[in-house]
Amino acid sequence: MVIPIHPPGVCDSPNKSQYRSMPVYSSRNPSSFRHSEGWSNSQSKLGSSGDGRYSPLSSYKPTQVSSLNKSVTSPGPGLIPPRGILRNATTNASGNPRLSKGGTSSYYALSSTPTAQNIPESIEQAARMTEAVFTKDKEYPSLFHALGGRDEPAQVLPISGLIEQDYPCLIERGLMSGRLFNIEHRTEIPSELKAWMSQTTASYRMGLFPEIHRAWMTIASDLYLWDFRDGSDLSYYAGLKEPIIGLAFAPAKPNLFKANLNHILCVTTPSQVVLLGFIVSCDESTLGLAAPIKTALEVIAQPIYTISSDNVLFPVVVGSSQGRIFVGGADGNVHEVFYQAQRGWIHDKCWKKNLTKSIVSSYLPNFLTFSSPDPVKEIVIDNQRYVLFTLSKSGTIQAFDLGEDGDSFSNIGCLSHETIINTVIVKSKNSLEPNSVRNILSISAIKQGDLGLVAVTDSGIRLYFSLYTGLSQRANPMIRPSTLKLAHIRLPPGYSPMSNIRKPTGAYTAYCSNGLFSISTADGDTSHVWLITPFIYPTANYAELSTRYTVPGKTIDVKEISVREIDPVVFEQPEVMSQHLPYRREIVILTSHGTIVLKASKPFELLRDLIQRQGPENIQGHFEMLPNKVQPLANCVLLASHPFLFTDNNVHDLATKAIFMYGELAPEFQQDAWPYSPRHDAIYTTVGRVLASFWNLKLLRTGTISGTTTKIIMPNISGEQVSYAIHFIQSLHTFIVNNPNLYMISQIVSTGTNNAQMENTPEGHRLMCYEMEKMSMAALKNLLSQALEVLGMWKILCEHQINIILQGVDDRLLNTTLRDMIVAGQNTIPVIIDALINKYLGDNAAVDAISIRLREVCPSLFRNEDAISSKVAEILSKAKQTTDPHEKESMLTDSLILCEQICGLGRVNIRNFCMQFAELGFPLGAIRLCESAAKAVDPQHLALLTLKPTVSSDPVANQAYNNRCDVYKIVFEILDMYYTSSNQQSPPLTGRTSDENLPSEKAKLFADETFRGILESEDEVFHIMLYNWLLERNLFGRLLEIKHPFLDAFLQRAAESVVSGKLHRNGMNGNETRILDLLWRHHELNQNHLAAAQILMRLADFTTDGLDFQQRFDYLARANICAKGVGRRGPGELLENLEDKLDVAQIQKSILDTLKNRLVNLSETSSGVFDHTLTNEVKMHQESIQRLNSQLFNISILYSDFAVPFKLHEIRLEIFNAAGHSEKPLIESLWADVIQTELDSTRESLESQLELVRRKVVTLGKKYISSPTYFPMEYIVEHLEAMMPVEMVDQAWVVRTMLEIGVSFTELLFVYEKLWNKVTQQRVSTLGGMNGQSQVCRVVMSMIKSMLDGKLEVRLPRSQQGKFSNEFIEKCKDLIALMIVEFSSKFEPEAKEITQKLNITKDRLEYR
């Protein structure tokens, strides 16, 4: 179609530039190219795909969505259903959520908006869904795939443009507005130049410098520049002497010239190459995002560099983004103009080098090269891949690699015009004639994607070239381009059999830029400019829209106006994804009559024109031309909420109506399908597009101060960007709020089976999906509200010196993204706000102004309590500076009152205020503030319920108790600080260092004041924490000085826990024993002896390494004393139990002492000698000693685990005595073991051995003489007599031993009498036979002789000495008589000798 030039101002959109993205391409596969590779034709809607490379939004599969903190798996079309919406939600086979068809539970009632408790969760859900939606929004096919490209093998469809879907006739069908471009500026050539052009016959050349908004004209050696937008700012340069044949405007090499000299104009003449210095500056008043750029130019009068052209004409000049300058010569070669600041050893400051001619041929004259030169026609540079392309006059295309860093030059490949023609014929299956590509007008680099170059012919055919051989190379950015090959042929409009558009022929100029193509054909005194742009929505096929403009005169140049500060990635995206940005795509057409600036209509503006002209009821086809309605509906959402372009509310109303008309779920909606409507997805898509440009951007970046190397932090998201985004987000939020039926959730109450049955019906399922969608929209509303406040806060921050404000907290923010701040900024935002407020502390007006603005901009981030906190911080800052004590006290009191008003709110950092109170010498203020805060966190005093045994396990009460403790910990942190500074105690447990500026005397006073302030509190929890604080620091004396009912209750609860055994079941540590040690002392001081005795006994019984045996024994002894102090009131059972424990403990002590002595001996023996057996014995002793120290054992364990294994015979005898065990044979064997042990303990003389035995027998005999059971005297006498050597002279050794023990003479004589009878009657005895009788007889005679000689005292009670003396004498006589009779019957010589002695003894008894 032909669109005539409209007068300026026909478009009602303001003058703005815009980002323009790389279009989304797709291809239709013509039926004429069906062959074995599987190409097929499809006549479905735009966006459908037969090969699976693209599918509409509704059939997207789960996709991983990456962000800074989350990895989200998105079901269905990339959206995350909010958690908690459905009770019976499951997924279908494809991963999409579906509603359960079973169960009785129904969708439960939900409020219209999430409650305060679940708002953070809803924000997180909305953020995840927004990310998922935008991830799916970016899943458009690349140019390579849109042209039918396959990854393996790496190839594309050979040709496209033959079917209607490639150039859909939507404008003719009334499905879209035809105003793809609008005239923004139309300016004639300046009158001065136009008059000169009409008067002279000299040749002139014209062109465009779009980067500085200038058109240029050269007339002979003069250069003229003017602003092509309005014809103003005409300037000229006349410093050259020769005609100008080529020129290019390029950025200067970095760091080579002065800072303001930032561009170079390279001009070529027949004999010279001249570099002119240009200073380009922008008018600061036009630096706004939406303002057109006003540039000022200043040229350096004298050329910077001038070099010879060496008789080569260079009509083609181009500069790279890195400052390199390339010139194309009439000799067919590419030269580079090098320049530097200083003269080098080899080169001058500026020189020229031929990059494409070989070294040998460079020294040969032209007539010896045997070929005519093919002049360079055009040079283009891909400044992202660093690839240079050339087009020669004959149509040859060459590619050169500039290196990974753009600083080298090497050949990639070359395609001659003949080769290109032959390849076109082969790929088109001979359907194209060779003359259809007879002349290549222009080439252009494709800076993104898989293809690298596009060339345009005079018939409008585009040829796409690839630089890679396979998928592996294209997918790896580290692999450099390696080839140049024709990949695809794109035909212009008019080749489709169904098309009524006339094919362009005879084009003489062409231009390509980021998906925009322009060709010009002549028609008399006018020209037809064909403009081809990508389809407004992403589609699977490479669909394009075309329009034709008629312009006066001949088209000389066409260029796209550069967009400043644009991310190159935006060029890869479809325009619908960035159309909300304030950048607009503009092209300028230079003709022989002047310049025309065309402004591209954005997709939503095309929809606006359509909806205004036809109404929303008549444009259903627009929403149905794609398989999915999300893209057109997203345009409607942008129309309904755009904050700048439309002041007419009618546009908003029409767009809103269209959203609700075409955004519902389809009637054929299936129960296992994605539960959200296209309207829902469209709103989320629009929000995602608005947030996408900075959603995952870090808030801060590091930079340097101008002219220095000092690093500072600076905002990575500027205030202007934030301000622009705020308008859009506010409009989107307003749009949702103004349409409550989007998010207001019905109150559906479950009624059991009926609702369950409803869920299984299509209508019930649809209703459930509506409610899910409304919940999702409510979450989005919360997200937008939060984003508005966060962005508003950041905008305020950007208006101040952010590097100073965030000093000290920047490390935590350097890796924080805007998403983190919006979704999870609960901990970060208060830090930033505090830093902002703290910067202005001391300036009352500034703090108030900032507080008021924060309250207006972000009321939920900076609430009333935050404002009061700021006021408190300001007062405390002044209090630190004042020297008047009364004024300081007044300020502290005022700040305390303000703090108490907000202390119950979790956002307020009361610790900070308490610490400042402490530093200012106001600890009572900290105590009072913490008491108020504790009451606020536990208003019902539930914490006190934990002190009652019946409710001590209540989780709610326990949480209240913990909350109070968390608050009071601040006071004890202050108390630690004071005590540390006073040098009274060891460093505090909190790890805080003491305040060096606080004198120790003053710190002690503050500590005492704090201590007294806590004791004056009425909160028992506060007191308990104080008591524990004293216990942890071993301040027992200070604790016992306290006289308070709370202390009595505290200690009583602990005592009851100990006595009942509930305190610990598996033992206690040393700290707990100290606590109990304090408890019994407290009870003893308060005359509560029974409780003290019980605690002491329990202490002795604890299994712990914190107590040794002596401590346990002392506890038992002390317990015994306390129990005795109870008097008759105390239970006798306790006293008896204690005495028994003491007896057993004494045995354990004996075992412990014995093992210790043995261990010493073993250690001395094993010193320097390795003996495995001895080492094990030492280890066994050590382990047993440790065990005996760890606890008190009962008597059975002492016997079985210690006495028996270690052969402690004396201990065994003692255990038998304590246990009342009276087994006679076992007791007698123990005495034998004791005696034998003593004999074995030394290897010295017989006398020494007997002396050891005597001592041991005497010791044990005295111990057990009162217990005949455990002192078997008859057995001991017999055993000792039996072990007496025959040759021993002292016959009375055993008698003296017994007498020393305390055995009476008469008892001993009776023992020997029994022993004599035993020997005489030949009973079992160790003294059997003649020797035994002789030994007993001699001992008896010795005893009687000693008695008669007065050497032995006959021990009788004084009352019986006279009465029994004669009887005793008679008894002795009878015994002697028996012995005489016995020995008189024997004939041994010894018997006669004994008989004689017996007679003598008898006579002495008779005559005593």
Side-chain angles (χ1 to χ4, degrees):
M1 60 180 297
V2 177
I3 301 179
I5 294 297
H6 298 285
V10 71
C11 181
D12 57 355
S13 299
N15 180 9
K16 296 179 182 177
S17 60
Q18 177 202 358
Y19 276 120
R20 181 61 179 96
S21 61
M22 191 69 181
V24 173
Y25 301 92
S26 302
S27 67
R28 301 291 357 117
N29 306 317
S31 57
S32 59
F33 290 97
R34 295 178 182 174
H35 48 73
S36 60
E37 294 182 358
W39 303 113
S40 62
N41 188 18
S42 174
Q43 299 296 332
S44 60
K45 296 180 181 181
L46 289 173
S48 62
S49 175
D51 54 8
R53 292 187 302 274
Y54 179 86
S55 57
L57 186 62
S58 61
S59 60
Y60 278 144
K61 297 180 179 179
T63 301
Q64 293 294 328
V65 183
S66 300
S67 64
L68 184 65
N69 297 326
K70 301 285 183 183
S71 180
V72 181
T73 302
S74 55
L79 305 182
I80 312 297
R83 290 173 289 180
I85 293 180
L86 294 178
R87 289 184 176 180
N88 294 327
T90 57
T91 57
N92 56 20
S94 63
N96 293 335
R98 61 180 176 84
L99 301 183
S100 174
K101 298 181 180 180
T104 59
S105 61
S106 179
Y107 184 70
Y108 49 87
L110 295 171
S111 60
S112 62
T113 57
T115 61
Q117 287 78 4
N118 62 14
I119 282 180
E121 183 179 358
S122 70
I123 291 174
E124 170 68 22
Q125 293 168 357
R128 293 170 57 206
M129 186 172 289
T130 302
E131 291 167 341
V133 167
F134 189 70
T135 297
K136 285 302 174 184
D137 198 26
K138 292 190 297 185
E139 289 185 353
Y140 48 83
S142 66
L143 175 60
F144 173 80
H145 291 97
L147 292 173
R150 294 180 178 179
D151 293 334
E152 292 295 343
Q155 61 181 12
V156 298
L157 284 174
I159 193 170
S160 64
L162 293 172
I163 61 176
E164 183 182 1
Q165 283 83 357
D166 293 333
Y167 297 98
C169 301
L170 301 178
I171 300 175
E172 292 80 356
R173 297 175 183 174
L175 298 180
M176 195 178 68
S177 171
R179 298 171 61 183
L180 299 181
F181 291 88
N182 295 286
I183 299 294
E184 185 174 18
H185 300 287
R186 186 176 61 179
T187 307
E188 294 184 353
I189 296 176
S191 56
E192 300 87 343
L193 298 178
K194 194 172 184 180
W196 189 93
M197 291 168 60
S198 62
Q199 298 174 2
T200 182
T201 58
S203 62
Y204 63 91
R205 300 177 66 243
M206 298 175 64
L208 295 168
F209 291 149
E211 56 268 37
I212 56 174
H213 301 93
R214 294 295 187 275
W216 58 266
M217 176 185 291
T218 61
I219 303 175
S221 61
D222 296 335
L223 172 64
Y224 298 88
L225 297 172
W226 70 94
D227 191 327
F228 55 65
R229 293 173 295 188
D230 53 13
S232 64
D233 196 18
L234 177 64
S235 55
Y236 72 97
Y237 179 78
L240 301 177
K241 298 181 180 179
E242 295 183 325
I244 299 174
I245 60 174
L247 73 166
F249 194 78
K253 288 183 178 180
N255 304 321
L256 184 63
F257 304 111
K258 294 182 179 180
N260 56 349
L261 203 164
N262 45 27
H263 286 78
I264 286 180
L265 182 65
C266 180
V267 182
T268 61
T269 67
S271 64
Q272 290 180 331
V273 177
V274 181
L275 300 186
L276 300 175
F278 258 77
I279 299 174
V280 180
S281 58
C282 297
D283 186 354
E284 294 184 358
S285 62
T286 65
L287 289 180
L289 287 173
I293 303 174
K294 293 293 185 179
T295 55
L297 303 179
E298 182 180 353
V299 64
I300 305 300
Q302 298 297 324
I304 302 176
Y305 303 112
T306 300
I307 58 175
S308 172
S309 64
D310 296 329
N311 297 322
V312 178
L313 298 178
F314 296 111
V316 180
V317 186
V318 67
S320 73
S321 60
Q322 293 186 323
R324 297 178 70 178
I325 297 176
F326 300 93
V327 291
D331 60 351
N333 292 310
V334 177
H335 303 250
E336 182 174 2
V337 178
F338 295 89
Y339 57 97
Q340 58 190 17
Q342 303 295 331
R343 186 188 304 272
W345 287 96
I346 300 176
H347 298 290
D348 204 340
K349 290 184 179 181
C350 184
W351 71 99
K352 176 174 60 67
K353 180 181 179 181
N354 191 330
L355 300 177
T356 56
K357 193 173 185 179
S358 65
I359 297 177
V360 175
S361 62
S362 63
Y363 290 99
L364 295 176
N366 292 334
F367 68 88
L368 293 178
T369 57
F370 304 106
S371 63
S372 59
D374 187 8
V376 176
K377 180 180 179 181
E378 186 178 8
I379 298 176
V380 295
I381 299 177
D382 182 347
N383 286 305
Q384 295 183 33
R385 288 194 180 98
Y386 295 124
V387 180
L388 181 144
F389 302 95
T390 64
L391 172 66
S392 69
K393 187 175 181 180
S394 67
T396 299
I397 298 176
Q398 286 183 279
F400 302 93
D401 187 1
L402 300 183
E404 185 176 351
D405 298 324
D407 54 2
S408 61
F409 191 90
S410 61
N411 183 49
I412 295 177
C414 176
L415 292 176
S416 66
H417 188 228
E418 183 179 359
T419 302
I420 294 173
I421 291 175
N422 293 334
T423 306
V424 168
I425 293 174
V426 172
K427 283 184 174 291
S428 65
K429 302 294 185 180
N430 296 318
S431 61
L432 292 179
E433 298 295 333
N435 60 1
S436 61
V437 290
R438 64 180 179 272
N439 183 18
I440 298 177
L441 298 178
S442 176
I443 59 176
S444 177
I446 302 175
K447 301 176 182 179
Q448 299 288 340
D450 306 307
L451 301 176
L453 181 72
V454 59
V456 184
T457 68
D458 58 354
S459 60
I461 296 175
R462 281 164 280 164
L463 307 177
Y464 289 92
F465 297 86
S466 174
L467 300 174
Y468 301 98
T469 57
L471 174 66
S472 58
Q473 289 186 347
R474 293 186 290 106
N476 189 349
M478 301 302 295
I479 297 179
R480 302 298 302 161
S482 58
T483 187
L484 180 65
K485 61 181 181 181
L486 179 61
H488 185 78
I489 305 166
R490 179 70 172 185
L491 302 179
Y495 278 83
S496 170
M498 303 296 296
S499 176
N500 56 1
I501 301 176
R502 188 178 62 181
K503 303 175 185 178
T505 57
Y508 59 89
T509 63
Y511 174 72
C512 316
S513 174
N514 300 317
L516 170 67
F517 301 94
S518 167
I519 55 175
S520 299
T521 59
D523 186 9
D525 294 335
T526 62
S527 297
H528 299 300
V529 180
W530 295 70
L531 295 176
I532 303 174
T533 64
F535 188 63
I536 61 174
Y537 300 128
T539 58
N541 64 304
Y542 188 7
E544 294 178 302
L545 300 173
S546 65
T547 186
R548 193 178 69 176
Y549 287 85
T550 300
V551 297
K554 180 180 180 182
T555 303
I556 298 174
D557 198 2
V558 179
K559 289 289 190 299
E560 182 172 8
I561 299 176
S562 303
V563 178
R564 57 191 174 91
E565 301 177 3
I566 186 172
D567 187 351
V569 177
V570 174
F571 286 112
E572 299 182 60
Q573 302 173 348
E575 188 176 6
V576 289
M577 297 176 63
S578 58
Q579 61 178 333
H580 64 281
L581 296 175
Y583 308 107
R584 182 179 297 276
R585 195 168 197 182
E586 296 176 324
I587 61 172
V588 54
I589 302 174
L590 176 64
T591 70
S592 57
H593 287 244
T595 56
I596 301 171
V597 176
L598 296 179
K599 176 180 62 177
S601 297
K602 295 185 177 184
F604 74 89
E605 294 174 335
L606 297 174
L607 180 59
R608 176 203 60 187
D609 296 341
L610 182 67
I611 203 171
Q612 282 183 318
R613 185 175 67 250
Q614 301 183 21
E617 301 87 355
N618 303 317
I619 58 172
Q620 181 177 353
H622 182 87
F623 293 91
E624 294 179 350
M625 62 183 177
L626 295 176
N628 190 278
K629 300 179 182 178
V630 172
Q631 296 294 344
L633 285 170
N635 266 351
C636 281
V637 173
L638 193 60
L639 277 174
S641 60
H642 203 291
F644 300 121
L645 299 184
F646 313 117
T647 57
D648 185 4
N649 290 330
N650 184 48
V651 174
H652 298 276
D653 295 340
L654 293 175
T656 303
K657 185 176 181 180
I659 292 172
F660 285 93
M661 285 183 62
Y662 304 111
E664 298 291 341
L665 287 170
E668 62 276 9
F669 175 70
Q670 301 297 323
Q671 290 197 13
D672 60 348
W674 177 244
Y676 296 119
S677 67
R679 176 180 61 226
H680 168 277
D681 295 352
I683 295 174
Y684 264 98
T685 297
T686 306
V687 172
R689 289 170 178 174
V690 172
L691 296 175
S693 59
F694 48 78
W695 181 249
N696 285 320
L697 277 184
K698 293 181 180 180
L699 294 171
L700 299 172
R701 59 185 175 89
T702 57
T704 57
I705 299 177
S706 178
T708 67
T709 59
T710 304
K711 289 188 176 182
I712 60 171
I713 60 170
M714 54 186 64
N716 196 33
I717 305 175
S718 68
E720 290 181 348
Q721 290 176 295
V722 168
S723 179
Y724 187 81
I726 286 175
H727 288 293
F728 265 98
I729 296 174
Q730 180 64 61
S731 296
L732 288 168
H733 182 266
T734 303
F735 168 74
I736 297 176
V737 171
N738 290 342
N739 294 277
N741 52 340
L742 288 174
Y743 63 89
M744 292 294 291
I745 299 173
S746 303
Q747 301 293 329
I748 302 177
V749 182
S750 176
T751 58
T753 306
N754 293 334
N755 277 346
Q757 294 175 353
M758 185 183 68
E759 289 180 10
N760 294 326
T761 64
E763 187 61 31
H765 182 79
R766 180 183 295 273
L767 179 61
M768 305 284 279
C769 292
Y770 282 150
E771 301 306 315
M772 287 177 60
E773 179 171 317
K774 290 179 180 180
M775 174 63 80
S776 177
M777 294 305 301
L780 179 61
K781 183 167 70 74
N782 290 333
L783 174 65
L784 293 176
S785 178
Q786 180 78 357
L788 280 172
E789 295 196 21
V790 171
L791 290 173
M793 180 206 67
W794 190 254
K795 183 174 181 291
I796 294 174
L797 199 65
C798 291
E799 294 171 357
H800 298 79
Q801 293 176 303
I802 196 169
N803 60 312
I804 298 177
I805 293 173
L806 298 183
Q807 186 176 7
V809 297
D810 50 334
D811 291 342
R812 286 173 288 179
L813 294 174
L814 282 177
N815 294 322
T816 301
T817 65
L818 186 63
R819 182 199 190 278
D820 299 332
M821 190 78 74
I822 294 174
V823 177
Q826 297 88 346
N827 297 325
T828 309
I829 291 174
V831 174
I832 295 177
I833 292 179
D834 288 345
L836 177 61
I837 297 296
N838 291 337
K839 180 180 183 296
Y840 293 97
L841 288 180
D843 187 344
N844 188 18
V847 172
D848 290 344
I850 293 177
S851 298
I852 293 173
R853 189 170 180 200
L854 287 172
R855 286 287 295 138
E856 293 174 351
V857 173
C858 44
S860 67
L861 303 180
F862 189 78
R863 301 175 182 172
N864 183 57
E865 56 266 29
D866 298 315
I868 295 177
S869 296
S870 302
K871 190 67 177 178
V872 172
E874 181 185 3
I875 295 174
L876 292 178
S877 176
K878 291 182 178 179
K880 292 177 182 179
Q881 300 173 1
T882 185
T883 57
D884 186 347
H886 298 290
E887 183 181 2
K888 181 177 181 180
E889 181 180 359
S890 176
M891 289 180 178
L892 292 175
T893 303
D894 293 342
S895 62
L896 175 60
I897 294 173
L898 291 175
C899 287
E900 287 184 304
Q901 296 176 7
I902 60 175
C903 63
L905 304 173
R907 298 165 57 90
V908 179
N909 186 0
I910 65 169
R911 181 188 177 278
N912 179 37
F913 295 138
C914 289
M915 298 308 296
Q916 292 190 64
F917 285 154
E919 293 173 1
L920 292 169
F922 189 40
L924 294 181
I927 293 174
R928 179 174 159 184
L929 178 56
C930 287
E931 285 185 296
S932 299
K935 292 177 182 178
V937 298
D938 182 23
Q940 299 178 352
H941 303 283
L942 298 177
L944 299 179
L945 296 179
T946 60
L947 305 180
K948 299 180 181 180
T950 56
V951 292
S952 58
S953 59
D954 184 2
V956 178
N958 288 331
Q959 183 60 46
Y961 184 89
N962 293 333
N963 291 340
R964 282 183 175 257
C965 290
D966 290 339
V967 173
Y968 289 138
K969 283 178 183 178
I970 301 171
V971 176
F972 293 100
E973 187 177 351
I974 294 171
L975 192 56
D976 271 330
M977 180 181 67
Y978 286 151
Y979 266 92
T980 303
S981 299
S982 64
N983 296 321
Q984 293 182 7
Q985 299 296 327
S986 58
L989 301 181
T990 57
R992 285 179 59 91
T993 58
S994 60
D995 189 352
E996 297 179 356
N997 297 324
L998 188 63
S1000 59
E1001 298 82 5
K1002 203 168 186 179
K1004 186 178 184 304
L1005 291 175
F1006 288 154
D1008 293 340
E1009 185 179 356
T1010 305
F1011 195 87
R1012 291 192 300 270
I1014 298 173
L1015 290 178
E1016 292 173 0
S1017 172
E1018 297 180 357
D1019 189 349
E1020 189 171 359
V1021 177
F1022 209 174
H1023 280 256
I1024 291 173
M1025 292 191 68
L1026 175 63
Y1027 305 153
N1028 286 324
W1029 185 86
L1030 292 171
L1031 289 173
E1032 290 172 359
R1033 287 150 185 79
N1034 298 325
L1035 301 176
F1036 302 126
R1038 189 70 181 268
L1039 180 62
L1040 293 176
E1041 292 175 0
I1042 298 175
K1043 302 299 180 182
H1044 199 285
F1046 287 161
L1047 178 60
D1048 296 337
F1050 170 77
L1051 296 176
Q1052 184 62 34
R1053 283 191 298 269
E1056 291 173 356
S1057 300
V1058 171
V1059 174
S1060 63
K1062 297 180 180 179
L1063 190 57
H1064 278 275
R1065 297 178 180 177
N1066 301 321
M1068 299 183 65
N1069 57 35
N1071 185 49
E1072 289 161 336
T1073 60
R1074 289 198 301 271
I1075 294 174
L1076 294 179
D1077 197 22
L1078 177 66
L1079 294 179
W1080 75 261
R1081 293 178 187 275
H1082 172 77
H1083 286 303
E1084 189 178 46
L1085 288 174
N1086 290 276
Q1087 304 300 314
N1088 191 359
H1089 297 292
L1090 178 59
Q1094 291 172 329
I1095 295 172
L1096 284 166
M1097 186 171 64
R1098 189 57 183 264
L1099 272 170
D1101 287 336
F1102 280 135
T1103 301
T1104 177
D1105 294 334
L1107 297 174
D1108 59 16
F1109 174 79
Q1110 188 59 46
Q1111 290 174 297
R1112 299 175 189 278
F1113 191 82
D1114 293 341
Y1115 282 141
L1116 281 179
R1118 190 77 183 186
N1120 191 36
I1121 295 173
C1122 290
K1124 290 180 180 179
V1126 177
R1128 295 180 179 179
R1129 296 174 299 168
E1133 183 180 353
L1134 175 62
L1135 182 60
E1136 183 181 351
N1137 190 16
L1138 283 170
E1139 290 176 347
D1140 291 341
K1141 282 182 173 291
L1142 277 172
D1143 292 339
V1144 177
Q1146 187 63 51
I1147 296 174
Q1148 183 169 336
K1149 183 178 185 300
S1150 301
I1151 296 174
L1152 182 61
D1153 294 340
T1154 303
L1155 293 183
K1156 286 182 177 179
N1157 292 333
R1158 284 189 180 184
L1159 181 61
V1160 173
N1161 296 332
L1162 288 172
S1163 300
E1164 293 176 355
T1165 304
S1166 61
S1167 178
V1169 178
F1170 178 75
D1171 187 333
H1172 183 70
T1173 302
L1174 195 60
T1175 302
N1176 289 339
E1177 191 171 354
V1178 170
K1179 183 178 180 182
M1180 186 170 62
H1181 277 73
Q1182 291 173 341
E1183 292 175 351
S1184 298
I1185 291 172
Q1186 182 180 1
R1187 189 179 172 195
L1188 288 167
N1189 273 316
S1190 66
Q1191 70 180 97
L1192 295 179
F1193 295 98
N1194 59 40
I1195 198 167
S1196 299
I1197 296 178
L1198 291 175
Y1199 182 82
S1200 60
D1201 291 3
F1202 300 98
V1204 174
F1206 289 100
K1207 299 180 180 180
L1208 306 178
H1209 307 303
E1210 298 178 43
I1211 305 299
R1212 294 171 65 191
L1213 184 60
E1214 188 175 357
I1215 291 173
F1216 283 169
N1217 180 35
H1221 189 78
S1222 58
E1223 186 177 350
K1224 184 177 179 181
L1226 189 55
I1227 294 173
E1228 291 175 351
S1229 68
L1230 283 178
W1231 275 99
D1233 291 338
V1234 170
I1235 294 171
Q1236 187 61 43
T1237 299
E1238 293 300 318
L1239 289 174
D1240 295 340
S1241 64
T1242 181
R1243 300 294 182 183
E1244 297 181 2
S1245 63
L1246 178 61
E1247 290 77 7
S1248 299
Q1249 289 179 327
L1250 293 177
E1251 179 62 22
L1252 289 176
V1253 172
R1254 185 193 68 78
R1255 292 178 182 177
K1256 181 59 68 176
V1257 173
V1258 170
T1259 303
L1260 294 179
K1262 290 182 178 181
K1263 183 176 182 180
Y1264 298 109
I1265 191 172
S1266 60
S1267 303
T1269 302
Y1270 306 103
F1271 184 64
M1273 186 166 51
E1274 295 178 10
Y1275 174 80
I1276 294 172
V1277 169
E1278 181 182 356
H1279 188 78
L1280 291 176
E1281 291 291 349
M1283 61 175 282
M1284 288 284 293
V1286 178
E1287 66 275 8
M1288 187 170 181
V1289 179
D1290 188 5
Q1291 299 292 334
W1293 178 80
V1294 176
V1295 175
R1296 287 197 310 273
T1297 300
M1298 292 296 108
L1299 292 175
E1300 186 178 354
I1301 291 174
V1303 180
S1304 65
F1305 187 83
T1306 56
E1307 288 177 330
L1308 189 58
L1309 186 62
F1310 291 154
V1311 170
Y1312 274 97
E1313 181 183 8
K1314 292 179 181 180
L1315 184 58
W1316 167 258
N1317 293 332
K1318 186 177 181 180
V1319 173
T1320 304
Q1321 295 173 8
Q1322 295 298 319
R1323 289 185 292 180
V1324 178
S1325 173
T1326 55
L1327 293 172
M1330 178 64 185
N1331 291 335
Q1333 293 175 342
S1334 300
Q1335 184 175 345
V1336 173
C1337 184
R1338 291 178 190 279
V1339 173
V1340 172
M1341 288 189 296
S1342 173
M1343 290 177 64
I1344 294 174
K1345 181 179 180 296
S1346 299
M1347 180 190 67
L1348 294 175
D1349 293 342
K1351 296 180 179 180
L1352 291 176
E1353 179 184 359
V1354 180
R1355 296 181 181 178
L1356 292 173
R1358 292 181 181 180
S1359 60
Q1360 300 179 3
Q1361 285 181 1
K1363 179 179 179 181
F1364 292 105
S1365 59
N1366 292 332
E1367 184 181 352
F1368 179 73
I1369 295 298
E1370 291 299 324
K1371 188 70 174 177
C1372 291
K1373 289 178 181 180
D1374 293 340
L1375 181 58
I1376 293 297
L1378 291 173
M1379 290 181 177
I1380 292 174
V1381 173
E1382 182 67 27
F1383 280 102
S1384 297
S1385 63
K1386 299 181 182 295
F1387 303 100
E1388 290 86 351
E1390 184 182 0
K1392 289 183 178 183
E1393 179 186 355
I1394 294 175
T1395 302
Q1396 292 175 359
K1397 291 182 179 182
L1398 286 171
N1399 288 325
I1400 296 171
T1401 303
K1402 180 181 178 184
D1403 293 340
R1404 290 192 67 183
L1405 287 173
E1406 291 288 347
Y1407 303 103
R1408 65 180 180 85

